Amino acid sequence: MGVHRTTVGEVVTAVSDALARLLDHFVTFPTDGQIAKVKQKFFLLGDMPNTIGVIDCTHVHIQAPHQREWEYVNRKGRHSINVQLVGDADLAITNCVSPPL
């Protein structure tokens, strides 16, 4: 596409930083006033009583960092970070936990 690799890296970093600053605005756990409605949706969806979220984790592959590289080697010997997400019955992400690089 004719774009230098350094430029792509700078743009990806800038966009990632901007999205990270907006995370708390869009990714929010249900408030006390929303919990009853969320529980009802999960119950109607799959007979799951008293459920306000479902959780899962995944390893996201990364390039080996220059510092403390060994801390990012997973059980398969690849470099990755473990990311945890919680979602609601509408498939919206309500919580995200990932370590800083």
Side-chain angles (χ1 to χ4, degrees):
M1 292 178 38
V3 180
H4 195 273
R5 186 175 183 160
T6 304
T7 303
V8 172
E10 290 171 353
V11 169
V12 167
T13 299
V15 170
S16 296
D17 290 344
L19 289 172
R21 286 191 298 273
L22 295 173
L23 184 69
D24 291 338
H25 180 72
F26 291 100
V27 177
T28 59
F29 211 65
T31 63
D32 290 342
Q34 297 169 322
I35 287 178
K37 186 175 182 180
V38 173
K39 285 181 179 183
Q40 180 185 22
K41 285 184 177 184
F42 271 112
F43 187 77
L44 294 173
L45 183 66
D47 285 336
M48 295 182 282
N50 298 314
T51 303
I52 59 171
V54 292
I55 188 169
D56 199 8
C57 296
T58 189
H59 282 268
V60 177
H61 293 274
I62 61 170
Q63 288 184 349
H66 298 294
Q67 297 178 342
R68 299 184 341 265
E69 170 271 340
W70 64 91
E71 291 183 7
Y72 298 92
V73 178
N74 64 26
R75 64 183 174 84
K76 295 184 177 180
R78 298 186 181 124
H79 293 91
S80 67
I81 57 172
N82 194 4
V83 177
Q84 170 189 293
L85 295 175
V86 178
D88 67 13
D90 294 322
L91 306 179
I93 297 172
T94 58
N95 184 261
C96 175
V97 179
S98 65
L101 288 177

